[in-house]
Amino acid sequence: MSSPANLDLHDIPLHKLYEILLPVTTSKTAFANWAKTFVCTPLAIFEPRNEYHCEVILELARREGKVVRVAGVGHSPSDLACTNEFMLRTTYLNRVLMIDKEKRRVLAQGGITLHHLHAALAQHNLAMINLGSISDQTLAGIVTTASHGTGIDYGVMSTQVISMVILLADGSRVYCSRNEQPDLFLATVCGLGSTGLILSIELEVEPSFHLKEVLESRCFKDTLSNLKQLVHSAEHTRMFWFPATDMVCVSMLNRTHETKRPGGSWFYDSFMGFHIVQLLLFLGIYLHIFNTLAVFLASWLVSAGSSRVDDSYRVFNVDCRYLQHTTEWAIPYENTEPCLRELDKYFHEILVDPRERPHFPIEIRFSAPDDIWLSPSHNQQTCWIGIVQYKPYGFNIPYKKLFEGFENILSKFEGRPHWAKAHKVGPEEFRDLYPHFEDFLQVLQTVDPKGLFRNEYMQRHFFGQPVDGRVFKPRK
Ligand SMILES: Cc1cc2nc3c(=O)[nH]c(=O)nc-3n(C[C@H](O)[C@H](O)[C@H](O)COP(=O)(O)OP(=O)(O)OC[C@H]3O[C@@H](n4cnc5c(N)ncnc54)[C@H](O)[C@@H]3O)c2cc1C
């Protein structure tokens, strides 16, 4: 008798499919995102060890009429990766498949984390071209959400993708690139896991490099007056804004041949900047004066100005501190100045009430235009503005009122929300914001007509179905 692996999947009885998957069905029953702001309890969580397991999971879902949500390491601050049905986690689909030093390309499975990718690339003296604040995410996770770093001439990270292999809802395996199946490629490269399971990604990389970071402290007014010059003054400019002290810490990163000089101090960065600030934020929940002390301390700690040189990925990444609520929006670059002015006015109104104080810093970053259908940088030079409300020691704090006012201002300036972060934007607005929104839906109709990959987030934001945005909020 032939083993199940030799049989056509259609010929394997249902109970056998469950048997095949038993060793890769985890005992965990719940999934929470990194910040513990969204939690779900899928019917089953699978951690496939190979592509055959992935095919079996899709076959099982088709037969049982269940949705499959692919999840990486769950760092999306929204319910983007959540589902109540089947979850496929890519924990073990994490291998580098090929590195071509000459052509500066790497081929890796979608579930590899960026930390592991950096290490593998470094062995061949290669590195990623641009990066965001952390490297904990999976490669497929950053690609499908158009996650971004900073640099007015550098695209979001999905722009580094050359080709992909995708497992579609019907179980077929498709290779796509800008030349082959370009519609599927442009839909998937920021497709939120809804066009199919990304098995592998071919990525453009560059020879490994050191980055020099120069930190400069400026008052808000001065930063605005010199905005264009500052944004263009480095390959990668980012800004950390402290509205309560009217201070902006400008971080300018450039490639350099200088030797490593990592800098940093345990006392100032870790003890004061992390532990004491967290304690003050925690005390601030009960006695609001401590919120004021926290922001003044954090702002003072970065006010001195400094510089360091280190491996690119160490300098691109920053300490994201504590569990947090967050929202981030992308606006056309030319709207940056008026938008920041209006935000400044808004934050100063809010600062009067210490309970609603914005935490810090407000992060301001930039990216180059691209042609990816759902990239928030589609067709436009972009300024990204993000705010956080920390949860010191995991305790909750108010954030909804603050975020609502922030989002209203960003919307006014033609803002597009970060796909991975919680927002309230629906298909009608997305049709106006994205010229290829209908093309994207058309691709979904072709490759996944029954909505196998369509979780609650997709139903709500893409199909306008009444799925409550709080459905996966943890219950007290
Ligand atoms: C502390 C912190 C810092 C961050 N910094 C930045 C930043 O600097 N810039 C930025 O833009 N974003 C940032 N993010 C957001 C983050 O980059 C995205 O949420 C990213 O998607 C997380 O990757 P993940 O592996 O956790 O994916 P998950 O959150 O698990 O999933 C995200 C999406 O990817 C899909 N997906 C995952 N794997 C696959 C696959 N193999 N095939 C198909 N679909 C797949 C999922 O279905 C889901 O739609 C940050 C988040 C945190 C928590």
Side-chain angles (χ1 to χ4, degrees):
M1 196 181 144
S2 46
S3 73
N6 296 331
L7 283 177
D8 191 316
L9 282 178
H10 299 89
D11 299 330
I12 302 178
L14 186 64
H15 72 275
K16 277 274 174 208
L17 293 179
Y18 277 107
E19 267 176 36
I20 296 169
L21 293 176
L22 201 56
V24 302
T25 309
T26 76
S27 52
K28 285 185 208 134
T29 52
F31 165 89
N33 68 346
W34 172 79
K36 310 267 184 293
T37 48
F38 291 92
V39 179
C40 63
T41 314
L43 290 173
I45 303 181
F46 303 108
E47 287 185 309
R49 301 313 197 256
N50 52 46
E51 295 184 1
Y52 176 68
H53 286 148
C54 298
E55 289 169 15
V56 176
I57 293 164
L58 296 199
E59 174 68 18
L60 181 68
R62 283 192 297 271
R63 287 218 215 148
E64 295 281 47
K66 300 293 178 217
V67 165
V68 180
R69 194 58 174 168
V70 183
V73 292
H75 268 51
S76 291
S78 65
D79 63 345
L80 179 63
C82 292
T83 180
N84 274 330
E85 303 201 351
F86 287 169
M87 176 173 280
L88 186 163
R89 302 216 53 185
T90 58
T91 324
Y92 298 101
L93 307 174
N94 60 354
R95 282 181 302 123
V96 172
L97 303 172
M98 184 273 296
I99 293 186
D100 187 331
K101 195 173 169 187
E102 293 304 304
K103 290 191 177 152
R104 299 177 182 179
R105 287 173 182 198
V106 57
L107 180 69
Q109 290 185 300
I112 193 168
T113 64
L114 299 188
H115 281 303
H116 285 119
L117 191 57
H118 300 329
L121 288 173
Q123 286 179 5
H124 297 262
N125 287 325
L126 293 168
M128 286 181 70
I129 296 167
N130 196 3
L131 264 185
S133 305
I134 54 167
S135 291
D136 306 82
Q137 314 98 311
T138 62
L139 180 58
I142 59 152
V143 164
T144 56
T145 54
S147 286
H148 63 95
T150 192
I152 195 71
D153 295 323
Y154 289 79
V156 297
M157 289 185 272
S158 319
T159 59
Q160 299 163 20
V161 177
I162 297 166
S163 69
M164 285 177 286
V165 176
I166 309 166
L167 189 62
L168 297 182
D170 65 3
S172 59
R173 202 179 293 233
V174 184
Y175 170 91
C176 65
S177 68
R178 282 201 151 68
N179 299 322
E180 283 185 51
Q181 303 256 22
D183 282 4
L184 181 60
F185 179 80
L186 290 172
T188 304
V189 82
C190 172
L192 312 176
S194 59
T195 57
L197 163 61
I198 302 171
L199 293 173
S200 63
I201 296 176
E202 187 187 6
L203 204 67
E204 186 189 350
V205 290
E206 68 174 79
S208 50
F209 55 99
H210 287 171
L211 274 178
K212 179 173 186 175
E213 176 178 48
V214 176
L215 288 174
E216 249 180 52
S217 192
R218 291 171 173 252
C219 72
F220 177 72
K221 251 185 169 172
D222 178 49
T223 310
L224 272 200
S225 330
N226 293 291
L227 192 72
K228 284 214 170 86
Q229 182 255 317
L230 287 170
V231 171
H232 291 275
S233 66
E235 291 166 352
H236 308 273
T237 300
R238 57 193 175 193
M239 299 176 180
F240 304 104
W241 177 23
F242 297 76
T245 57
D246 276 329
M247 208 274 281
V248 181
C249 173
V250 184
S251 156
M252 289 161 286
L253 317 180
N254 283 302
R255 281 159 184 71
T256 180
H257 294 296
E258 289 179 35
T259 49
K260 282 196 213 179
R261 197 166 29 84
S265 126
W266 175 84
F267 180 76
Y268 287 111
D269 300 342
S270 181
F271 179 67
M272 300 287 278
F274 187 88
H275 295 293
I276 298 297
V277 169
Q278 176 160 232
L279 179 65
L280 292 174
L281 287 171
F282 170 70
L283 295 173
I285 298 175
Y286 305 100
L287 211 53
H288 305 309
I289 179 74
F290 287 107
N291 283 333
T292 312
L293 292 177
V295 68
F296 274 87
L297 176 61
S299 169
W300 174 76
L301 284 169
V302 294
S303 64
S306 60
S307 84
R308 62 177 170 141
V309 177
D310 211 335
D311 294 319
S312 54
Y313 53 93
R314 294 185 212 277
V315 178
F316 278 132
N317 287 169
V318 295
D319 181 358
C320 287
R321 293 166 185 258
Y322 328 106
L323 300 186
Q324 53 194 248
H325 297 281
T326 178
T327 180
E328 186 179 29
W329 291 59
I331 55 169
Y333 174 59
E334 60 273 16
N335 291 348
T336 308
E337 204 182 314
C339 181
L340 289 178
R341 270 189 216 291
E342 193 150 336
L343 281 175
D344 187 46
K345 196 163 151 265
Y346 171 62
F347 288 139
H348 278 92
E349 282 160 16
I350 287 269
L351 284 170
V352 174
D353 181 353
R355 282 167 307 177
E356 296 289 345
R357 282 194 175 166
H359 285 173
F360 41 80
I362 315 289
E363 216 172 352
I364 305 166
R365 293 180 281 180
F366 305 91
S367 58
D370 62 56
D371 63 346
I372 296 165
W373 286 356
L374 293 190
S375 161
S377 248
H378 181 83
N379 266 352
Q380 64 189 24
Q381 275 191 325
T382 298
C383 170
W384 298 81
I385 307 176
I387 56 172
V388 292
Q389 285 298 88
Y390 296 123
K391 297 167 39 159
Y393 307 115
F395 283 84
N396 223 341
I397 36 90
Y399 68 97
K400 288 184 190 147
K401 199 172 132 197
L402 171 74
F403 281 21
E404 206 175 300
F406 174 83
E407 287 165 8
N408 289 340
I409 294 174
L410 273 288
S411 293
K412 207 174 106 182
F413 288 96
E414 300 167 65
R416 296 165 170 172
H418 191 307
W419 290 112
K421 304 190 179 181
H423 62 86
K424 297 197 185 81
V425 183
E428 288 318 312
E429 294 112 301
F430 282 134
R431 270 188 190 90
D432 290 339
L433 288 169
Y434 288 97
H436 287 287
F437 190 71
E438 282 302 329
D439 297 330
F440 181 80
L441 294 184
Q442 192 56 52
V443 167
L444 288 193
Q445 181 56 31
T446 309
V447 296
D448 188 15
K450 293 189 179 151
L452 188 86
F453 293 107
R454 200 175 300 166
N455 75 336
E456 289 76 356
Y457 176 104
M458 293 304 296
Q459 290 168 22
R460 182 169 66 236
H461 296 292
F462 283 73
F463 296 92
Q465 287 165 11
V467 178
D468 191 337
R470 291 162 304 176
V471 62
F472 295 121
K473 279 278 176 198
R475 303 277 165 249
K476 294 245 159 52

